Amino acid sequence: MANVPAELKYTKSHEWVKEEDGLYVVGLTDFAQDALGDIVFINMPEEGDDVASGESFADVESVKAVSDVFSPVSGTVAEVNEGLIDEPALINQEPYEQWLIKVKDVSDTEELMDAAAYEEFCANEEA
Amino acid sequence: MELKTPLYDVHVAAGGKIVPFAGYLLPVQYKSGVIAEHMAVREKCGLFDVSHMGEVMFTGPTALASLNHMLTNDFTNMTVGRVRYSVMCHENGGCVDDLIVYKFGEEKYLVVVNAANRHKDVAHMKEHVLDGTTIEDISDSIAQLALQGPKAPEIMAKLLPEESIPKKYYTAIEEVYIKDLKCMISRTGYTGELGYEIYTAAENGAKLWEILMEAGGEYGLIPCGLGARDTLRLEAAMPLYGHEMDDVITPLEAGLDFGVKLNKPEFIGRDAMLAAGTPQKARVGLEVTGRGIIREHQPVFIDDVEVGITTSGTHCPYLGKAIAMAYVPADKADLGTLAEVEVRGRRIEAKIVELPFYKRS
């Protein structure tokens, strides 16, 4: 069973998000990293890029597959976790420590699930 | 509906992530993941369930003549206990499949084909077989395991006396007993690594798996899935049907000249290949020099002109870099040529490098 921290919010496309000092921090969930397998490459946006709610802002490649990462919010990229570009496997090791981007000037937010709802959503995906 | 191999329950119990492949439910990876499984085969040993592969027996006084008629390689001087790689072609020179042939007697051969092509292959064989040869598809009664990696000989030595272990690459022993299980064992594989493929009756498959895993434990043997099987064969630049070859690509274009004996008096596809002359396209290796990973079916550009298409590509764990295979015009296939591959709307820099990417030292 995938780890689902209670304090975060979640999307149906398996990103997690939290609000921190006025920024929205976005990462991939444990369920997502487990489904992808060993992550070997990540293509990231740059600071200052605009992201749109429900649209792809990055892609991650595991040995076998490529997968889009969707933004839960609309806004501007304030910060990128540059460390992941050199060591994308960190997402597999600690998915909730390794955020991908922080977003500022958020104008719109996708409908998000709380931990209980996301856990149920994952259980249905597995079935 | 997908079929289960005789080892399905073993895979589930071992934490295998099950996916449909070539009509079978097979593990793409186990708990350790594709990278760890890939590295185990390069450095220690890995065990694969390849029971989905197709096995077809050729028997009878014209078995040899049938094989020489249907397949591109020459089996005339083959001795009992040898194994030989070949392609089976259409009249147009395109590939029906690639396969390996075991010789067990003057009138007895075993042909092992790709799972995805099994029914197509058997239909093709039945259409072209000569009188005096019996063809029997025995795939469903056979379990096949592949023990691959530098520690494989030591693991086998725990289970079999020396004379029951094939010594040379592409040789086989038809009847050996691992514990009390009757097996056929060959020194073959699809990983570019030293190893064995072991065939036994379907009902013995799970037991054989258990015996091998137990014997290999002290050598770091782990179960490996389809994911590692693909990255290993790609690193070793072994072609995969449906990727590097298909019904219209000829084995000469695929660079498989060693398995095509044009000096044989006759075989299906020979006339078309002779008429076509020197292949106009070539299978090449690409190494990514920019950032990103190339996958199959992505356009290849040289000097900003689209000249070809990739057939397979991935990040290779052992080499630690992204590689791919592609078809480009033969006159643009020089080693060192710079190319770009379009990946999801973005061009990634690559260069043509020698095949195979990885060769066992």
Side-chain angles (χ1 to χ4, degrees):
Chain A
M1 191 64 217
N3 178 20
V4 180
E7 67 276 17
L8 304 176
K9 296 271 191 271
Y10 300 90
T11 67
K12 286 180 179 172
S13 44
H14 303 285
E15 292 85 15
W16 58 262
V17 58
K18 71 175 169 188
E19 225 185 314
E20 191 181 81
D21 307 326
L23 298 177
Y24 282 74
V25 185
V26 182
L28 280 172
T29 67
D30 189 33
F31 182 94
Q33 71 77 20
D34 185 62
L36 281 162
D38 294 323
I39 297 171
V40 289
F41 179 76
I42 182 159
N43 197 22
M44 292 272 226
E46 288 178 12
E47 220 178 287
D49 284 357
D50 287 333
V51 294
S53 162
E55 289 185 17
S56 164
F57 71 89
D59 50 55
V60 289
E61 305 230 17
S62 64
V63 178
K64 277 306 283 180
V66 57
S67 179
D68 281 308
V69 187
F70 298 95
S71 181
V73 297
S74 296
T76 304
V77 177
E79 216 180 314
V80 173
N81 184 355
E82 304 276 351
L84 288 180
I85 295 172
D86 293 326
E87 216 177 331
L90 289 174
I91 297 172
N92 292 118
Q93 292 160 26
E94 36 182 34
Y96 297 111
E97 302 295 318
Q98 297 295 335
W99 52 275
L100 272 58
I101 55 169
K102 295 184 180 179
V103 186
K104 64 181 178 185
D105 305 332
V106 170
S107 59
D108 182 31
T109 307
E110 197 184 322
E111 197 179 314
L112 299 169
M113 289 177 273
D114 64 14
Y118 180 64
E119 229 169 296
E120 198 185 323
F121 179 76
C122 289
N124 287 331
E125 290 241 310
E126 267 175 349
Chain B
M1 192 195 125
E2 276 87 17
L3 303 168
K4 294 173 179 178
T5 75
L7 286 104
Y8 178 80
D9 293 339
V10 174
H11 302 316
V12 172
K17 244 183 220 180
I18 306 294
V19 299
F21 176 80
Y24 286 85
L25 291 170
L26 285 163
V28 67
Q29 63 166 75
Y30 298 85
K31 283 175 189 151
S32 34
V34 177
I35 292 178
E37 292 167 22
H38 182 112
M39 295 304 285
V41 171
R42 289 279 177 256
E43 294 173 345
K44 293 169 182 165
C45 205
L47 185 63
F48 301 79
D49 173 19
V50 288
S51 300
H52 57 297
M53 300 295 285
E55 289 89 8
V56 186
M57 289 299 304
F58 277 58
T59 51
T62 62
L64 171 62
S66 286
L67 291 171
N68 273 334
H69 170 58
M70 269 187 252
L71 306 181
T72 59
N73 212 331
D74 190 348
F75 302 90
T76 310
N77 296 320
M78 197 175 176
T79 52
V80 171
R82 288 272 172 181
V83 188
R84 198 158 280 177
Y85 176 84
S86 185
V87 178
M88 181 161 67
C89 284
H90 296 286
E91 289 291 357
N92 69 4
C95 303
V96 180
D97 202 359
D98 69 336
L99 45 83
I100 57 175
V101 176
Y102 291 78
K103 181 170 182 177
F104 293 130
E106 294 310 319
E107 299 185 1
K108 185 180 179 191
Y109 297 82
L110 172 68
V111 180
V112 180
V113 303
N114 283 299
N117 291 336
R118 172 182 156 198
H119 297 295
K120 175 181 86 165
D121 289 352
V122 172
H124 180 92
M125 289 166 175
K126 287 192 169 154
E127 187 186 336
H128 295 285
V129 70
L130 306 177
D131 287 340
T133 304
T134 303
I135 292 177
E136 191 188 358
D137 179 358
I138 57 167
S139 309
D140 293 335
S141 66
I142 305 279
Q144 191 195 151
L145 304 184
L147 182 74
Q148 301 279 303
K151 296 293 182 193
E154 287 167 76
I155 296 169
M156 282 324 308
K158 282 177 72 178
L159 298 168
L160 286 174
E162 202 191 323
E163 66 274 16
S164 297
I165 303 174
K167 300 291 172 299
K168 284 190 187 152
Y169 191 48
Y170 269 66
T171 61
I173 300 176
E174 190 186 3
E175 191 174 329
V176 302
Y177 287 85
I178 297 178
K179 306 280 185 186
D180 57 345
L181 306 179
K182 185 178 160 188
C183 300
M184 187 276 275
I185 178 169
S186 63
R187 189 145 166 178
T188 48
Y190 194 49
T191 60
E193 212 55 61
L194 204 161
Y196 307 93
E197 289 174 307
I198 307 155
Y199 300 70
T200 193
E203 60 270 25
N204 294 336
K207 180 80 182 150
L208 179 62
W209 175 277
E210 193 182 304
I211 293 168
L212 290 167
M213 282 307 301
E214 194 186 316
E218 64 178 294
Y219 296 99
L221 176 67
I222 58 170
C224 298
L226 293 171
R229 186 166 161 85
D230 192 48
T231 55
L232 287 158
R233 71 95 195 164
L234 226 167
E235 215 171 53
M238 290 171 152
L240 173 59
Y241 194 89
H243 292 252
E244 284 71 40
M245 61 179 98
D246 60 27
D247 290 307
V248 294
I249 296 171
T250 74
L252 298 182
E253 291 169 331
L256 302 171
D257 317 44
F258 68 93
V260 181
K261 298 292 159 25
L262 289 172
N263 56 358
K264 269 201 305 185
E266 176 276 339
F267 64 85
I268 297 171
R270 178 177 179 267
D271 293 347
M273 279 187 266
L274 284 175
T278 310
Q280 299 298 299
K281 61 179 182 177
R283 174 163 68 102
V284 296
L286 292 173
E287 181 183 317
V288 173
T289 53
R291 290 192 66 252
I293 294 171
I294 300 172
R295 307 281 179 179
E296 66 199 66
H297 305 318
Q298 294 173 332
V300 179
F301 296 80
I302 292 175
D303 295 330
D304 215 23
V305 178
E306 186 175 336
V307 294
I309 190 122
T310 59
T311 51
S312 297
T314 191
H315 169 88
C316 263
Y318 185 80
L319 298 173
K321 52 194 172 194
I323 56 172
M325 290 194 273
Y327 279 104
V328 300
D331 61 0
K332 294 194 179 346
D334 292 342
L335 297 183
T337 301
L338 299 180
E340 288 180 311
V341 178
E342 194 173 297
V343 177
R344 293 151 61 79
R346 192 168 66 90
R347 292 218 193 151
I348 294 180
E349 289 172 7
K351 70 170 178 204
I352 296 178
V353 297
E354 198 174 6
L355 293 177
F357 304 100
Y358 167 83
K359 198 170 185 358
R360 185 167 68 87
S361 52

